[in-house]
């Protein structure tokens, strides 16, 4: 037993001695390694540099002589030198107390050149690449530039563009960087199809989105260019479309765009889940805020039980209620809609709950992404400003207003915590788009003072100098007409939502029975009373001349023109049909003074020109149209008066009114019905009576199928205008079958009725048609939403008319009627 113990003690001593020895040896080795890895550097030697000074290299390294330098320090120095972009290779080694830095400098870019490009100019490509003259050449940077150029071509619809890069040595370690571009053909959108839709056809949904299949006019409209962000925007458009038509459960399952390289075309497929269609159930307002009278708020509701569910109506109601309670002094009241779905009856009951929201204030509004648009143009669309109570509903309404400006591709608004717990920073991110437009259009029009071929060129800027101002300069040319217009509008006059502006114009016409020349302008200001109601007041001034350049339409009673034998120019007896003294032509016939028309009333009025009209006018406009350019739902009502007599030659009061109602008769086939009507009266102010040219001259503009000035009072067959008019029309428009809707063609059927009557000359010889005889017509039309503007061709058959009316069954012109 004792022997075993002695043996164990001896073994333990040997093991302990071995462990101490091993630890001592290991410590010595680690110490040696540490000394080797962190040796003192006495000198830094730079090799291989040509343009970059050695001291500059040493400065980038951030290592100084006398410093213990480890391998980690050397690696960090290598990374710093690479990050400068000046070197293609860097190697660091240590020899004793000397740190050796071996560098290979990048070449310097002499020029950046583009070859093969024509669709995108050099200046645009230069702005999109990082490689620049006098900068260091980097292969990684040029490869990134190649991708940037490809993206630029994809953005203009040329996804098959091939881009490569090469270099050309020009000496002194300088190179030219050359981007070789094969632009390829335009990448088309071969088809856009929908899967899972049953409530609406593919053709109807294609009208909702902005992307279009490639067609005959795509090279002009440029709406068949695929981009990922455009598809995302179209997804949101589809959601709004369905949500506003009762499909509260609608969702987009997927949207995929597949590029077929062989056809160089995209095939877009959108898969949807429409869900059930809902109507509004019970609608109620509840408040937990003391002092709010909920019964008085029901007039603000846009949602009514039994109506088809609409997310937009819910949003509008939220804004109405939020503004109402805020104006009542409850700045922090928060309105929240709570829906209760009845899946059996497919209804959604809405309870608008008003609670006391968190006491949060807007610390600041931060705007990002705008390079052209001034900050204040964006800020003024907010109903909240720095220091105000934060309200999410009003912030979202500002987002909608910014989108409606059409200044930006995208608008997004987010929030961030402020400096204090009750402070919020509102962040507005925008992506700007082009707001200038050069328009060139042409066509053929019938009726009016511009009958025949017409052309117009105009320059429009909706965001002039980034100030949000509208300016347009245009010139129109017809077979016998010329017109020039300058318009300017400041939408926020004096820092308020007052749209102030002016218009200046000059127009001449040599068509019809006599020449006309008008020069004038107006100064106007419009103020929104409610979201849908706008008031405008304007001062108007114009000068009108009738006849030729000398104030006359030179023709005698026999239709003889200047230069012919029996013509005598006696301007001192303008319009006098009696022989002049004893003057005769070569055939012995008595000579007569010049006449303009067969109407003495018109002749006398022409002889009295030029006229000056100075007037003040006002109007009220009420609009609930869902789309001002292409309405399908809503009202447009306008009424106004003009008072002339503030100087000038005219003294009258003119009252006019018109209205349009649009209703989507069939959603599936996109059939739109409309009813329209209007009327007017002009009366003298004072005892001087009306000038004949102050009357209304009407025809096809109120009852199609008649000529311009084709109805109403006449003298010897010449229109002398009327003091009253009234008209009504019913119309239905629809897409043409078997024709792609992308071409923009629609058909129309219509019926018109109206009359023009009343005259201060009803007792003069040869005057007829002063009574309110009804005219009516029915017809068909073809509407084309062309790239040059909406054009229309009508055929109308008058089935109620007077014998002296002048008819014109075919008419051509612009389609807008309000």
């Amino acid at each position: 037993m004792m022997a075993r113990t002695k043996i164990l003690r001896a073994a333990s001593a040997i093991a302990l001695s071995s462990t101490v020895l091993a630890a001592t040896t290991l410590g010595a080795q680690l110490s040696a390694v540490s000394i080797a890895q962190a040796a003192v550097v006495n000198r830094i030697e730079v090799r291989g540099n040509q343009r970059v000074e050695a001291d500059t290299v040493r400065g980038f390294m951030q290592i100084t002589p006398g410093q213990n330098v480890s391998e980690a320090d050397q690696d960090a120095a290598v990374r710093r030198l690479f990050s400068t972009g000046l070197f293609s290779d860097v190697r660091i080694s240590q020899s004793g107390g000397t740190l050796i830095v071996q560098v290979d400098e990048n070449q310097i870019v002499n020029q950046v050149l583009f070859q093969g490009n024509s669709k995108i100019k050099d200046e645009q490509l230069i702005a999109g690449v990082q490689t620049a003259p006098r900068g260091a050449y980097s292969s990684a940077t040029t490869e990134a530039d190649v991708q940037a150029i490809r993206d630029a071509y994809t953005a203009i619809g040329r996804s098959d563009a091939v881009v490569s890069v090469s270099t050309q040595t020009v000496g002194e370690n300088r190179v030219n960087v050359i981007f070789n571009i094969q632009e390829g053909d335009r990448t088309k959108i071969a088809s856009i199809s929908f899967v899972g839709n049953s409530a609406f056809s593919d053709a109807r949904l294609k009208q909702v989105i902005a992307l279009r299949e490639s067609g005959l006019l795509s090279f002009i409209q440029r709406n068949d260019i695929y981009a990922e962000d455009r598809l995302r925007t179209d997804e949101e458009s589809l959601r709004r479309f369905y949500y506003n038509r009762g499909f509260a459960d609608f969702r987009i399952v997927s949207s995929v765009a597949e590029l077929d390289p062989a056809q160089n075309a995209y095939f877009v497929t959108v898969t949807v889940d429409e869900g059930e269609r809902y109507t509004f159930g019970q609608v109620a307002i509840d408040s937990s805020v003391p002092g709010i009278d909920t019964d008085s708020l029901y007039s603000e509701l846009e949602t009514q039980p039994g109506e088809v569910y609409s997310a937009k109506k819910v949003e509008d109601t939220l804004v109405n209620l939020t503004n109402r309670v805020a104006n009542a002094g409850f700045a922090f009241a928060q309105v929240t809609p709570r829906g209760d779905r009845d899946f059996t009856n497919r209804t959604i009951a809405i309870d608008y709950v008003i609670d006391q929201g968190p006491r949060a204030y807007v610390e600041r509004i931060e705007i990002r992404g705008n390079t052209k648009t001034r900050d204040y143009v964006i800020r003024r669309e907010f109903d909240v400003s720095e220091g105000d109570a934060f309200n999410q509903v009003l912030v979202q309404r500002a987002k909608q207003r910014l989108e409606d400006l059409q200044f930006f591709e995208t608008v997004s608004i987010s929030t961030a915590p402020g400096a204090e717990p009750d402070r919020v920073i509102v962040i507005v991110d925008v992506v700007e788009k082009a707001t200038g437009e050069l328009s060139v259009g042409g066509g053929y029009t019938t009726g009016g003072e511009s009958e025949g071929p017409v052309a117009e060129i105009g320059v429009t800027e909706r965001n002039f100098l980034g100030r949000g101002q509208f300016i347009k300069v245009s010139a129109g040319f017809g077979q016998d007409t010329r017109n020039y217009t300058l318009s300017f509008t400041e939408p926020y006059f004096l820092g308020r939502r007052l749209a102030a502006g002016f218009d200046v114009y000059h127009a001449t016409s040599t068509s019809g029975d006599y020449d006309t020349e008008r020069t004038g302008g107006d100064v106007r200001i419009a103020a929104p009373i409610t979201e849908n109601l706008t008031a405008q007041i304007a001062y108007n001034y114009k000068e009108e001349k009738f006849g030729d350049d000398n104030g006359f339409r030179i023709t005698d009673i026999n239709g003889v023109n200047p230069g012919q034998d029996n013509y005598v120019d006696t301007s001192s007896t303008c319009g006098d049909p009696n022989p002049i003294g004893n003057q005769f032509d070569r055939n012995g016939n008595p000579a007569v003074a010049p006449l303009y028309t067969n109407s003495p009333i018109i002749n006398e009025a022409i002889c009295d020109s030029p006229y000056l009209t100075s007037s003040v006018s006002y109007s009220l406009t009420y609009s609930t149209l869902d789309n001002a350019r292409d309405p399908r739902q809503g009202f447009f009502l306008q009424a106004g008066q003009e008072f002339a007599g503030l100087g000038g030659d005219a003294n009258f009061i003119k009252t006019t009114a018109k209205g349009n109602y649009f209703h989507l008769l069939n959603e599936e086939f996109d059939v739109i019905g409309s009813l329209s009507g209007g009327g007017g009266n002009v009366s003298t102010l004072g005892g001087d009576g009306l000038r004949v040219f102050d009357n209304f001259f009407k025809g096809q503009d109120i009852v199609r199928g008649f000529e311009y000035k084709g109805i109403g009072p006449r003298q010897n067959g010449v229109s002398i205008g009327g003091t009253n008019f009234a008209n009504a029309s019913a119309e239905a428009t629809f897409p043409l079958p078997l024709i792609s809707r992308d071409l923009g063609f629609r058909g129309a059927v219509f019926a018109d009725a109206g009359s023009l009557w009343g005259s201060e000359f009803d007792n003069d010889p040869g005057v007829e048609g002063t009574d309110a005889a009804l005219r009516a017509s029915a017809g068909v039309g073809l509407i084309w939403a062309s790239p040059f503007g909406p054009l229309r061709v009508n055929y109308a058959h008058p089935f109620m008319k007077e014998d002296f009316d002048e008819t014109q069954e075919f008419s051509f012109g612009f389609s807008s009627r309000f």
Side-chain angles (χ1 to χ4, degrees), residues 57-68:
V57 175
R58 296 185 186 102
F60 287 139
M61 293 173 60
Q62 298 181 12
I63 294 176
T64 57
Q67 175 183 340
N68 288 333

Side-chain angles (χ1 to χ4, degrees), residues 451-465:
E451 184 168 1
V454 293
E456 180 177 290
I457 182 171
V459 178
T460 303
E461 174 55 64
R462 301 190 308 275
N463 189 13
F464 183 59
L465 299 178

Side-chain angles (χ1 to χ4, degrees), residues 162-223:
V162 177
V163 184
S164 61
V165 63
S166 60
T167 59
Q168 179 185 44
T169 303
V170 295
E172 298 181 358
N173 204 30
R174 295 178 299 125
V175 294
N176 291 335
V177 177
I178 305 169
F179 293 98
N180 300 287
I181 303 169
Q182 299 177 26
E183 295 183 316
D185 296 325
R186 289 186 68 241
T187 304
K188 301 178 180 180
I189 297 181
S191 71
I192 300 175
S193 57
F194 297 87
V195 177
N197 55 307
S198 59
F200 305 105
S201 66
D202 283 19
R204 180 68 183 99
L205 295 181
K206 287 178 185 179
Q207 297 301 304
V208 176
I209 62 178
L211 286 175
R212 291 287 186 268
E213 294 173 345
S214 300
L216 294 175
L217 300 177
S218 296
F219 73 98
I220 298 176
Q221 298 172 322
R222 311 292 292 177
N223 52 11

